[in-house]
Amino acid sequence: MITSTWSLVLSKPRGETVTDLPSDPDYILVADCIYYEQSLEPLLRTIKDLSGNKTCIILSYEERTMGNNPKVEKRFFELLQTDFEIEEIPLDKQDEEYRSEDIHVLHIRRKSRR
């Protein structure tokens, strides 16, 4: 089995377009990226632009309960559900040493296009 592998650290807070990247990777890993409200739409646009129908997206985040964070997380998932299906990986399926009640790991895939 051959998988496409490339890594990229995206830090384009002003929503600039990312170009010259391979499309439809097998995996996209997103970690701890949903706590700034102004970054939500650029992050979602980037995930959508980079992913294909077969791309497996793994997203992890720490649930934060202070300040504006619960509202930001709720908004992120409302926007994400427009184009993607989301499945939370149950805590008992995660590594015993690293799992935590406030750390969530999600398996995300594009919704089927009709």
Side-chain angles (χ1 to χ4, degrees):
M1 178 171 91
I2 298 174
T3 59
S4 60
T5 304
W6 46 273
S7 62
L8 170 70
V9 176
L10 295 175
S11 59
K12 301 245 182 219
R14 293 177 187 85
E16 295 116 5
T17 302
V18 178
T19 59
D20 299 328
L21 296 174
S23 61
D24 298 349
D26 295 311
Y27 296 93
I28 295 176
L29 305 176
V30 181
D32 210 18
C33 291
I34 57 171
Y35 48 90
Y36 292 122
E37 190 166 8
Q38 63 272 24
S39 71
L40 296 184
E41 290 192 28
L43 173 61
L44 287 162
R45 184 173 47 253
T46 300
I47 293 170
K48 188 174 177 182
D49 288 348
L50 293 178
S51 64
N53 288 334
K54 295 181 181 180
T55 302
C56 172
I57 302 163
I58 302 296
L59 181 141
S60 68
Y61 72 99
E62 180 178 358
E63 184 177 352
R64 293 175 169 88
T65 58
M66 302 291 288
N68 201 31
N69 289 314
K71 182 180 129 190
V72 170
E73 288 172 12
K74 182 177 187 263
R75 180 69 179 143
F76 175 79
F77 291 111
E78 288 171 352
L79 293 169
L80 185 67
Q81 289 176 355
T82 302
D83 296 300
F84 296 92
E85 296 174 353
I86 305 165
E87 174 189 359
E88 183 154 9
I89 307 300
L91 204 56
D92 65 347
K93 300 284 185 191
Q94 297 177 32
D95 185 280
E96 286 185 29
E97 186 174 344
Y98 296 105
R99 67 183 175 200
S100 173
E101 293 285 337
D102 62 343
I103 304 294
H104 300 273
V105 180
L106 308 174
H107 176 216
I108 302 168
R109 288 203 179 265
R110 274 187 175 272
K111 288 184 177 178
S112 298
R113 296 180 188 165
R114 295 181 170 119

